Amino acid sequence: RYTFSDTGVGKSSIVCRFVQDHFDHNISPTIGASFMTKTVPCGNELHKFLIWDTAGQERFHSLAPMYYRGSAAAVIVYDITKQDSFHTLKKWVKELKEHGPENIVMAIAGNKCDLSDIREVPLKDAKEYAESIGAIVVETSAKNAINIEELFQGISRRIPPLDPHENGNNGAIKLGKASTPSSRRCC
Amino acid sequence: MCSPEEAALLRLEEVFSATLARINSLILQPLLSTAPEPLEPRGRECLRLLQQLHRSSQQLWEVTEGSLHSLRERLRHPDSTGLESLLLLRDADHVLQIYMEYVESYTSCVVVQAFQKVAKKRSEYWWGQRKVLRQLLWGVSSEGSVGAALAQALRQPLTHHLQQYVLLLLKLADAIGEHHPARELVVHAATHFGDLQSFTRQALDQAVATQALWHTLSSRLRDVLCTPAHRLLQDSQDIPVTVTPLRAERVLLFDDALVLLQGHNVQTFDLKLVWVNPGQDGYVFRILTPEEEFFICAKDSQGQVVWQWKVTQAVCQALRGKKDFPVLGAGLETSEPPACRCVVYTFRAEGRLCQATYEGEWCWGRPHGKGTLKWPDGQNHVGDFCQGLEHGFGIRLVPQASEDKFDCYKCHWQEGSMCGYGICEHGMDEVYKGYFQAGLRHGFGVLESAPQASQPFRYTGHWERGQRSGYGIEEDGDRGERYIGMWQANQRHGPGVVVTQAGVCYQGTFQADKMVGSGILLSEDDSLYEGTFTRDLTLIGKGKVTFPNGFTLEGSFGSGAGRGLNMQGVLDTAALPLDPNSTCKRQLGLGVFPVESRWQGAYSPFRDFVHAGCPGDLQEALLGFHVQSSRELRKSQEYLRCERTHPEDNAGSVEDILEELLQHRKPKALQQYLRKALSNSLHPLGKLLQTLMLTFQATYAGVGANKHLQGLAQEEVKQHAQEIWAFYRGLLRVALQRKGQALEEDEDAESRDLQVYGLVLPLMLDSFYSELFTLYLLLHEREDSLYSQGITNLSLFPDTKLLEFLDVQKHLWPLKDLTLTTSQRYSLIRDKCFLSATECLQKIITTVDPREKLEVLERTYEEIETTVSRVLGREHKLPMDDLLPLLIYVVSRARIQHLGAEIHLIRDMMDPVHTGGLYDFLLTALESCYEHIQKEDMRLHCLPGHWDSRELW
């Protein structure tokens, strides 16, 4: 389920889960739950995620372009228990396609998959839609830490290396100086 | 007790005194009264010499009387008056001096044959006086001319007297014994008078030889050479020598000049400007003079040794300015003349120095060192010379055609032409401050008209061989116009941008000073003209006009004679939303003038300085200097030289600067050091900054304060920061090299950016800030005014209403922070909530450093979070859904003016390493608040009450 006005969608929870479940949260500068960083290994490279939160409210919708300007990936979250949020998600995808950076990697996260008994959005719908727009789709549960890691790993794999000469295949990249595709999160 | 020698001395002095008295009355007085006709120059000279001799004789008599008196005193009271009281002993040097003066006067008379001339005039008289004369001369036959007799009468008593002196003094020394207290004085006096005898003998010999010389010369040569001061030291007729490559049948060495004779031709070389250099082979030595260089060849080695020795000693004597005592070559200093001397000389040979007079230091025949060169046409040059050419700092005054107007060049010179930095005032009309090469303006330079000029102008930019060429800014004060762009051969040529006082600007390609072909023009109302322009800036042919309301007019333009613009085409009134980047926010010049090469000429002397290893003597020539420019000062060049602020004064020598550099390498110390260096206009780093500020103001101040130039300006500032850092690194490398160390590995782009943006940019931004910020203000004027309307409206809301209006969730409202008086209600309180965050954010305008501004922003966020955590009673991490409304609240309460300009300036000047990072996020958040406040619903609903009825989410 995906909406900007519903704070219950759990976008912040996904990020918190992602950042905190792993080894380096102590070095991450954060601005509350709005800006977080995390470095994850991906193949021989280290990917540093710079995760920007955006306000979900409808009235701030028009400010979103500032936030996704220059970002490498966008994670759009909806609530599988709310059909509305999936509709809003589609609007967002459209907007991103039109005004967002070229080659932005899009990931759709259907959150609250632990509540699949009250599901309104079938996984099949989400998958079909994701395929049609070339996005990653994962159903997650921030609460139970399901598929969070997979979500970001999926993004990592999709992001082309910034500078093959610099990052290449040598594994000796310093933490914090890793290639930095900034995955900003729009949700 | 007195010795018999003293009594003998007394008698001697009595006789000598009497003799002098008689000589005076019998010879000198009559000589003076019968002196030749004083109207004729030779006669005048003769009279002068005789008067001189008379004076010397008078002094001699006086000193003899003095001596006599002291002897009498001594003999009268031998016990109370010691031996040392004798004038002869007590003041031997003075007595000696008087004798030498007499000898000098006497020999001068001999040289010009004064006695003979005078005697000839009144031969009958002297014939009658023969008897008297004979009384004065003893032991000599009275044969010979009257002149010779006179000469002898004036010489013989003196030489005889000296002889007696020496004899008696030596006897006296023996008589008083070794341990007498005055013995040393006696020996001293005896030696001195002995020396005086030698001196006198040599002087007389020289005088006689000189006198004899005249008879061997033609009358013409005699007229030229015969002066009383000349003393012949060596004659090539005695020891034959030849001269090459000059031609000379006879060589004469006088005590003040070396003379070559060839027929009637006389070449005289002042000995003060003669340098002697041993020859390579044969019996040869080389003579160097300012304008000639030749070899003197002797027949054998002895001849060569004698000549070379005599010339060398004569040069030494001439430089000392007085006769060697007792004989030639016995001067006090070393017998080698100094290579460097200080002499005045007027050049004679044709060429650039013809008739010019040089006064100053010489070395091996050439002006070398400090000196003044004056041409007869009024041109003159004060400064440093090297090998005969202007080299180093020098001030040249060149008179202009009209009187009392001068071109004044205060420049660095290299091998005779201007090279390096200089300040040149052309009369009262123009001043050029910049670099030269081979005497022409070359590199970076500013040419400016006098402020009161009728057509004021200023060109700031690049020059090539005296002409404007490359990137340059020209300000035309008369038309209120500024050209920014490329030049060639003094004309606008290539890509260029023009901005006018009225705010119109256009960009295109220039040829021969005019814009040709396609270009764009932006009028002050943001209308955009694209197409082909005529020379008077009207569209012609295919073109497009975009009006500020979005209408476009596209088609074919033409200009009817006197009927303005006419066109055929389509007016599109669909008014699609305009892309601000192509109209009102369009940036001119970007990409056309690559920022790396834009001010090459301003950077390159500094780079050259580093590449040359920071030589102290080139510091000024490369890095420039300051001269107080005042009309009064210019009158005195000497004074100006002192006024030039010397690089050593404040910043210290290059060595000191480099040493200091090495001691400040730790981040904190480095920052302090750079701050100090950049603010010191005499420090190399400070000088670079000053030059860059000059170019920046020339481009973007005044007429250049045009929003379409903001892009150019901001990339330029960043480039300058990089160049300053590179210059610092260069200095550091040299400093380390001098210590035998190498600079650690080349820094990578990232760590360089860190230093450039983190260290240098904040320190130097202040110098560019006012022009730069003005450009941002103008560019974001419209948004800033919408924003400020929004702020004004929001300021009417009480705190709780505003929080509600912004959809801040109720549980985050910091109401418990507020203590209310009984008469207050929450709903009326204003400017109380999140006060700490608001006050923190307001500090953003107290610094120009972008990083400090970002830190303020970060602290503002922390204040918000702290407040919220306190309200909730637990730590709370704000997601964006909550943070953004709170941030909008704080921004609206902080009421920062021109926030748009601030935000964009911070973003442009931010270290690119922060892109995507925390600071970028915070700045984006701030920008989104700024954008949001501009929105219609924030601006137009003035009444808080209006919102009460609105459904809340």
Side-chain angles (χ1 to χ4, degrees), chain B residues 427-449:
Chain B
M428 308 279 270
D429 317 318
E430 288 175 7
V431 184
Y432 174 81
K433 293 182 183 181
Y435 293 88
F436 286 88
Q437 195 179 303
L440 297 170
R441 294 167 188 165
H442 194 96
F444 172 74
V446 181
L447 180 70
E448 198 171 357
S449 63

Side-chain angles (χ1 to χ4, degrees), chain B residues 720-738:
Chain B
H720 289 345
Q722 295 203 7
E723 290 291 338
I724 287 177
W725 177 247
F727 182 47
Y728 166 77
R729 291 275 296 181
L731 290 174
L732 185 62
R733 192 180 313 117
V734 172
L736 285 168
Q737 267 165 11
R738 291 193 177 185

Side-chain angles (χ1 to χ4, degrees), chain B residues 546-578:
Chain B
T546 309
F547 297 102
N549 61 3
F551 290 8
T552 60
L553 182 59
E554 197 166 0
S556 185
F557 292 80
S559 53
R563 273 183 294 155
L565 198 65
N566 60 60
M567 72 89 60
Q568 277 190 319
V570 180
L571 179 68
D572 182 357
T573 55
L576 292 170
L578 286 171

Side-chain angles (χ1 to χ4, degrees), chain B residues 212-261:
Chain B
L213 171 70
W214 310 139
H215 301 297
T216 68
L217 299 175
S218 67
S219 64
R220 194 144 156 201
L221 291 178
R222 199 183 313 148
D223 283 349
V224 175
L225 293 174
C226 179
T227 65
H230 269 155
R231 298 289 185 279
L232 183 66
L233 302 185
Q234 191 62 53
D235 185 341
S236 66
Q237 282 193 335
D238 299 336
I239 300 177
V241 285
T242 54
V243 171
T244 50
L246 300 182
R247 291 180 51 184
E249 51 197 22
R250 196 164 175 190
V251 184
L252 300 172
L253 175 65
F254 290 101
D255 62 347
D256 59 347
L258 184 66
V259 176
L260 305 184
L261 301 180

Side-chain angles (χ1 to χ4, degrees), chain B residues 2 63 288 313 434 584 604 684 714 724 728 766 780 845 871 942:
Chain B
C2 289
V63 84
L288 285 157
Q313 293 317 315
C584 61
S604 60
Q714 64 96 359
I724 287 177
Y728 166 77
D766 213 11
H780 300 284
I845 57 165
V871 169
C942 313

Side-chain angles (χ1 to χ4, degrees), chain B residues 746-801:
Chain B
D746 277 343
E747 53 181 359
D748 56 41
E750 202 171 321
S751 60
R752 188 181 58 228
D753 278 354
L754 191 68
Q755 299 287 18
V756 168
Y757 287 94
L759 181 66
V760 181
L761 191 64
L763 291 175
M764 54 160 266
L765 193 55
D766 213 11
S767 306
F768 302 96
Y769 200 74
S770 83
E771 287 85 15
L772 189 62
F773 193 69
T774 305
L775 294 173
Y776 278 91
L777 277 185
L778 294 169
L779 188 63
H780 300 284
E781 205 172 17
R782 225 175 68 84
E783 293 89 331
D784 273 340
S785 99
L786 292 177
Y787 154 84
S788 92
Q789 279 176 42
I791 296 282
T792 315
N793 283 331
L794 296 180
S795 72
L796 300 172
F797 287 72
D799 285 357
T800 50
K801 281 275 184 285

Side-chain angles (χ1 to χ4, degrees), chain B residues 273 341-345 358-362 367-372:
Chain B
L273 287 169
R341 308 161 189 181
C342 209
V343 192
V344 184
Y345 180 75
Y358 175 80
E359 180 175 3
E361 295 166 0
W362 296 76
H368 188 96
K370 299 206 178 301
T372 306

